[in-house]
Amino acid sequence: MASMDFYQALGVNRKATPSEIKKAYKRLARKCHPDLHPGDRAAEEQFKRITEAYEVLSDADKRRRYDQTGSASRQPGPPPPGAEGFEGGFPPGFGFDAGGFGRGFADIFEEIFNPTGAQAPRGPTPGEDRVYPFRIGFFDALRGVSTTLELERETACPNCGGAGSIRSSRARVCPECGGTGKIQRQGGRVRFTSDCRHCGGKGRLAEEPCRRCGATGKIFQKEKLQIKIPAGVDTGSRVRLAGKGGAGTLGGPPGDLYVQIQVEGHPFFSRTGDQILCTIPISFSEAALGARVEVPTLDGPSAIRIPPGTQSGQKIRLRGKGAPSLKGEGRGDQIVEVKVVTPEVRDERARALLRELGGVEGADLRGHLKAYS
């Protein structure tokens, strides 16, 4: 083992940074940890090699001595606590306390055994943000509205202050570790020991579960919230109510509540951003000769000029007649699209007039169209 190249064992070069060394060790440890490969002697031996390499290269002093002399030891001595028999391989039932190798090993092994990263909270934790969908009318969105929301929301339990437990007159044995203060995980030939997170390694708890909230630290209660929706909101807009989201734990602050707006449609108007869109019909004669017609707007009827020769689909802009801007930049425009309605021929007189008009036009509207080159 003395002739082993520690850098080669971890697959890094000699100029590798501490973070690169740790990353390489974590990657290899996930592949060959004996707990994940019970009974696999090759994986066990590889894990032994990379752990020895990481134990040296993760320590600045040991790494410097190794780079200078090829050895990390000042002088022969006993192995570190919990690592007895390490050089000779893993005997049956071998175990160690991660603390004997420092917090670096404890954190890495915790990630291997607990890949989801789930941990008991160690201190105050902020509550989660919540989203509440809310429908409003088309004109309410344009003009703004104040309303009241009545909902059931999560709050910190007043009995335990969100901790989920209350002080007890007598300490009790920790149910997680059975009073030992240690948690053991075993797989294959390796046993991993770490401090119990539930009691902090003390083995006893001076608290008891809160009965009012069922030890969750949270309760649900109905609440009425006043909300002011500003003019100009659209579907997808959010209004934030600070501190009205999910309850925090262990005294952490609550999250925020986001009221997500959904605007109802309108039979005549539609909307794109700050622009209001609509379509109006005009007659054949109005399109050809021009006219002044009334158009509904958000502020009431407004007269617009139809230029002579207007084509179906042509758009006319009414400046400042659109939706209010949420940025406070005034109002957008209203875009009016005209649709020329072809007249119905109801009698011979109308037919004769249209034939006469066709003779006056005389132009070949399709003469420039070709289906071949």
Side-chain angles (χ1 to χ4, degrees):
M1 196 63 71
S3 61
M4 178 179 63
D5 187 324
F6 290 157
Y7 290 99
Q8 185 177 359
L10 294 180
V12 297
N13 60 50
R14 291 185 172 271
K15 295 183 179 181
T17 64
S19 62
E20 291 173 337
I21 291 173
K22 182 177 181 179
K23 184 177 180 180
Y25 177 69
K26 286 168 62 177
R27 184 183 68 252
L28 294 172
R30 287 192 181 98
K31 292 182 179 180
C32 63
H33 197 287
D35 271 20
L36 306 179
H37 303 277
D40 189 335
R41 189 70 181 181
E44 189 176 293
E45 291 297 327
Q46 184 184 1
F47 180 72
K48 180 173 63 175
R49 290 193 296 271
I50 65 171
T51 301
E52 182 183 1
Y54 181 72
E55 198 263 337
V56 170
L57 299 184
S58 62
D59 185 286
D61 291 335
K62 291 181 180 180
R63 182 179 180 182
R64 183 170 55 254
R65 289 196 299 273
Y66 176 76
D67 290 341
Q68 293 173 350
T69 67
S71 173
S73 302
R74 291 191 178 91
Q75 59 184 11
E84 292 81 6
F86 193 80
E87 290 293 330
F90 294 111
F94 169 79
F96 58 83
D97 189 321
F101 291 90
R103 285 306 308 164
F105 276 94
D107 293 341
I108 291 173
F109 289 139
E110 180 65 26
E111 291 182 23
I112 294 173
F113 285 102
N114 186 18
T116 63
Q119 298 180 355
R122 300 180 180 180
T125 304
E128 295 181 351
D129 293 338
R130 305 294 190 199
V131 177
Y132 182 81
F134 186 65
R135 291 177 64 89
I136 62 175
F138 184 83
F139 284 102
D140 284 339
L142 296 173
R143 297 165 182 164
V145 63
S146 294
T147 187
T148 301
L149 303 181
E150 185 172 355
L151 48 84
E152 189 175 50
R153 58 179 294 265
E154 187 182 72
T155 60
C157 174
N159 192 45
C160 63
S165 59
I166 57 176
R167 300 294 296 179
S168 176
S169 58
R170 59 179 182 177
R172 60 189 179 91
V173 174
C174 174
E176 294 294 323
C177 64
T180 65
K182 300 288 185 180
I183 295 293
Q184 293 186 351
R185 302 180 181 90
Q186 184 167 353
R189 298 159 63 89
V190 176
R191 184 175 65 254
F192 172 66
T193 304
S194 62
D195 288 342
C196 174
R197 294 184 180 273
H198 192 62
C199 64
K202 297 178 180 179
R204 301 186 72 81
L205 299 173
E207 299 177 338
E208 62 182 27
C210 175
R211 295 182 179 180
R212 179 170 181 180
C213 63
T216 64
K218 305 170 184 178
I219 62 172
F220 286 89
Q221 61 182 18
K222 290 185 177 180
E223 185 173 351
K224 292 183 178 181
L225 303 176
Q226 297 294 324
I227 178 175
K228 183 177 181 180
I229 299 175
V233 295
D234 201 355
T235 294
S237 297
R238 287 186 171 189
V239 179
R240 173 174 170 263
L241 298 179
K244 298 300 182 180
T249 56
L250 298 178
D256 297 333
L257 177 66
Y258 289 90
V259 179
Q260 184 160 304
I261 304 299
Q262 184 175 1
V263 181
E264 297 175 351
H266 189 273
F268 178 71
F269 295 115
S270 60
R271 180 178 173 186
T272 300
D274 295 343
Q275 290 188 338
I276 295 295
L277 314 177
C278 68
T279 300
I280 62 167
I282 60 174
S283 68
F284 183 79
S285 59
E286 289 174 330
L289 303 175
R292 289 186 66 83
V293 299
E294 278 195 349
V295 177
T297 72
L298 303 181
D299 306 315
S302 180
I304 64 172
R305 176 177 175 271
I306 304 295
T310 294
Q311 304 297 313
S312 189
Q314 192 167 326
K315 295 177 181 179
I316 300 172
R317 182 183 300 270
L318 299 180
R319 298 193 180 276
K321 294 292 186 179
S325 171
L326 281 174
K327 299 178 181 179
E329 299 174 352
R331 292 173 58 176
D333 301 331
Q334 179 171 335
I335 307 299
V336 181
E337 180 178 349
V338 298
K339 179 180 179 182
V340 179
V341 179
T342 303
E344 295 183 9
V345 180
R346 298 181 181 275
D347 52 38
E348 284 300 322
R349 182 172 181 275
R351 190 184 304 273
L353 290 173
L354 288 173
R355 284 175 178 169
E356 182 179 352
L357 177 62
V360 172
E361 289 178 339
D364 185 357
L365 301 179
R366 295 168 294 280
H368 63 289
L369 302 178
K370 294 182 179 181
Y372 54 88
S373 57

